[in-house]
Amino acid sequence: MPTWLLFLVPTVIWASTWHVILYQLGTVPVLNSVGWRFALAAVLMALLAWQQGANLRLPLRMHGWLLAAGVIQYGGNYWGVYEAERYIPSGLVAVLFALMVFGNALGAWWAFGQKSPRAFLIAALGGVAGVVMVFWPEIASTGARPHAAWGLAIGLLAVVAACVGNMLTLHLTRQGLPLIPVLAWAMGYGALFLIGMAGVTGIGWAFDWRAPYVLSWLYLTVFGTVIAFVLYFKLAQREGPARAALMGVVIPVIALGVSAVLEGWQPTPLALGGMALCVASVALAQRVGVSKS
């Protein structure tokens, strides 16, 4: 698949999930919804591996790494995002995840010796500044929220978890393990962690069989998890995790376009300027080479 499609498809999918997640909220505890999402995703990943003839029997010594990747990326990361949005605006969470490009760049340098040129990092910083402009009204109101500092801390931990999870997954594939089985096992471990936490914390195991919840669960699983993560990690393998993380800069722009159509969001001149800066910055960053050594 061309590199530009590896970037575009998961970006558009994850941008659309901002709206689709709304149908998951309110009736089922977040811990349950995320757990069911990754449980089904793990099964579908396993079926995909079987269909492609990939061996799901991975070396026993690698399962500690798989467990860590699953709990950190698909458990801690996603749980943290939902928890953070209880205390801070979703716009600030979007800004935090735009910073993943720098976390991934640092992780890639530390773990794999991949160096991101200064021009790439400057262009990425311009993209993050654009995201800040888009969400500035929400960000400015953060101080009025009780426990905003706690929400900010959780959000930052979720970003760190996402970056660490990325490095763990790429480390496993660099050991010669096939990507799809790695994702199947990691998502399975992540789902078990979330479902276990739901039991330990007394939340229980709820599900909503009404059509909006079921259809949104299927969309988030098939498109937002299986398809998007496979393509994302293929891009990270090919171009490096820092370049792949540029999705986090573009996703809010597309998501707000969806919101304008489906939810009546009205862009301000500052937001439009921020969107333009995001797109221009990402386009510039894509033109700058990143070492893959």
Side-chain angles (χ1 to χ4, degrees), residues 3 37 44 61 73 86 104 118 136 138 217 246 262:
T3 299
R37 173 178 173 177
L44 294 178
R61 69 181 186 279
Q73 182 150 30
R86 293 174 56 195
N104 271 8
R118 184 179 300 177
W136 181 249
E138 283 190 54
W217 171 59
L246 286 172
L262 299 179

Side-chain angles (χ1 to χ4, degrees), residues 90-170:
S90 60
L92 182 52
V93 177
V95 173
L96 294 178
F97 270 83
L99 294 173
M100 258 189 71
V101 65
F102 302 107
N104 271 8
L106 180 62
W109 171 73
W110 180 77
F112 310 125
Q114 294 179 353
K115 297 180 180 179
S116 298
R118 184 179 300 177
F120 172 87
L121 296 176
I122 291 173
L125 184 61
V128 174
V131 177
V132 172
M133 291 169 61
V134 169
F135 291 104
W136 181 249
E138 283 190 54
I139 295 170
S141 68
T142 301
R145 293 193 173 208
H147 310 299
W150 176 242
L152 183 61
I154 296 173
L156 285 171
L157 285 174
V159 173
V160 172
C163 294
V164 172
N166 283 343
M167 297 309 120
L168 288 171
T169 299
L170 292 173

Side-chain angles (χ1 to χ4, degrees), residues 20-39 74-87 154 158 190-191 193-199 201-208 213 217 220-221:
V20 177
I21 284 173
L22 295 177
Y23 299 100
Q24 295 271 291
L25 303 177
T27 59
V28 177
V30 166
L31 207 54
N32 291 159
S33 291
V34 182
W36 303 141
R37 173 178 173 177
F38 285 108
Y74 307 115
N77 169 27
Y78 274 79
W79 188 15
V81 169
Y82 282 94
E83 284 296 309
E85 290 192 11
R86 293 174 56 195
Y87 304 103
I154 296 173
F193 168 77
L194 292 163
I195 293 169
M197 286 298 296
T201 57
I203 290 174
W205 300 291
F207 194 84
D208 185 349
Y213 185 89
W217 171 59
L220 290 169
T221 302

